[in-house]
Amino acid sequence: MVRFQPVRRFVCTLVNQRTTRCFSATSHRYAGEVRIIEVGPRDGLQNEKTSIPLETKLELIRRLAQTGLRDIEAGSFVAPKWVPQMANSADVLNHLLGHPPYAPYPITYNYLVPNVKGLQKLLRTADDVKPGTAPDLSQPTDDPDTLPTPPPSPKEQEEAEPAPITSTEDPNEMPSDTSGVSDPVRPASSSAAGNQTEVSLFTAATEAFSKANTNCSIAESLMRCKEIVALAKSREIRVRGYVSVALGCPYEGPNVAPSRVAEVTASLLEMGVDEVSVADTTGMGTAPRTRELLKTLSAAGIASQDLALHFHDTYGQALVNVVVGLEHGIRAFDSSVGGLGGCPYSKGATGNVATEDLVYCLHSLGATTGVDVEKMAEIGSWISTELGRENDSRAGKAMLARLHT
């Protein structure tokens, strides 16, 4: 990826012919490309209360693939008892490998894996797929052997005990056989020869959140991450890491030590993670604390090109924090169409920053993303209607109102 540095213009004003005062111009110009990582199909959908048909997930990904996005989170290989909405991620992987949707550019499809057993399940699923042989799960079928696993009913979800969003309490639910693991995961269709499959893993910046979310300490979670990285690299699979609650924890408060975030981030990079997404999981981040965190990461020797930022918009600060990230050389941001998502451990937390809002903001600053923001606005409206929820993208709703008048 081409790396760009921010270009800042300054306006100097002569005051009383004696002193010169410099002001940062209100219209910054950010040269070059910014990469958008669309997390809606995974991070955005996993906390929805009503069951989501597999066909809806596949249609969401199909539509997103046509917008110019190059990175889409498609699912997660976690224990279904903890994250029912992701129970059919193997079906999603099967479909994307066997019947990749049309896209103007090659796409990297990402899957969250909580531990090495989750990665092993993903690898076995991918190894079983041959070009054109996987059932087209976007089409109805009467063959019971090819029917997708039905999602749980709303009643089943309501009766289930609240659980961590990515818990690994029962790793035995993820098979451990590694036989046949040899070749890199590759797309099955020649029409999507450039597509890639990558995985992401996660840890946290506070002990309290790590215990609640993964039932282990930060040190233990890093050991799990190390196992995942080792197996992924043996298959030449790119690995993305998440550091949760980097700018605020629902248990320990908003003042998470930037040095702790830097320490955890450095640990992930040292073990071979290709990119670390530093996540404001609760949306508590503010511009001054985001700036302090990024300065600390830089002082620790962590390069901006090795980082992405992941903001939630609970307090309406996500885009402000994005601009701070741009000023510090960050060129990769996570977002979710329609603002889908949320955090079950932070009361009142809203979803990820809406992709439509993020792209509109970036384009207004002179950056390029390759993403068609009007198509994205249409998708945000569609998926919000499908889920029976409010569309949380302000830019998306405004664009649609203008387009349909």
Side-chain angles (χ1 to χ4, degrees), residues 110-275:
N110 181 284
Y111 299 86
L112 183 73
V113 292
N115 52 27
V116 73
K117 296 182 188 298
L119 177 55
Q120 289 164 353
K121 182 177 181 181
L122 180 150
L123 293 174
R124 276 196 313 278
T125 301
D127 288 342
D128 289 340
V129 177
K130 302 216 171 20
T133 62
D136 187 352
L137 299 176
S138 65
Q139 302 299 323
T141 175
D142 295 327
D143 184 354
D145 293 330
T146 60
L147 287 174
T149 303
S153 67
K155 182 177 180 181
E156 289 173 337
Q157 290 195 32
E158 290 173 0
E159 293 176 350
E161 181 180 353
I165 57 175
T166 47
S167 174
T168 60
E169 180 184 78
D170 188 1
N172 292 323
E173 293 190 29
M174 297 298 180
S176 58
D177 179 23
T178 57
S179 60
V181 174
S182 57
D183 298 325
V185 175
R186 299 299 182 194
S189 171
S190 60
S191 65
N195 286 0
Q196 296 290 327
T197 298
E198 72 173 17
V199 299
S200 58
L201 48 80
F202 57 92
T203 184
T206 69
E207 293 290 351
F209 192 86
S210 183
K211 286 285 188 182
N213 194 40
T214 61
N215 198 35
C216 68
S217 67
I218 294 175
E220 290 169 332
S221 74
L222 288 172
M223 290 301 297
R224 292 177 180 175
C225 292
K226 192 171 184 179
E227 292 178 337
I228 295 170
V229 173
L231 178 55
K233 293 304 178 182
S234 75
R235 293 289 300 266
E236 301 177 19
I237 298 173
R238 187 174 185 271
V239 182
R240 199 165 188 262
Y242 281 103
V243 179
S244 299
V245 295
L247 285 162
C249 174
Y251 305 107
E252 298 186 18
N255 297 315
V256 176
S259 59
R260 171 54 65 88
V261 180
E263 179 183 352
V264 174
T265 301
S267 295
L268 292 175
L269 292 170
E270 287 169 359
M271 69 178 66
V273 170
D274 296 282
E275 176 181 79

Side-chain angles (χ1 to χ4, degrees), residues 7-13 21-28:
V7 178
R8 183 176 296 180
R9 295 179 179 178
F10 292 90
V11 178
C12 296
T13 303
R21 184 178 178 186
C22 294
F23 299 91
S24 177
T26 57
S27 58
H28 291 66

Side-chain angles (χ1 to χ4, degrees), residues 42-43 46-47 78 82-83 163-167 209 213 281 342 344-345:
R42 197 280 298 179
D43 195 28
Q46 69 179 8
N47 292 317
V78 299
W82 294 125
V83 193
I165 57 175
T166 47
S167 174
F209 192 86
N213 194 40
T281 312
Y345 297 102

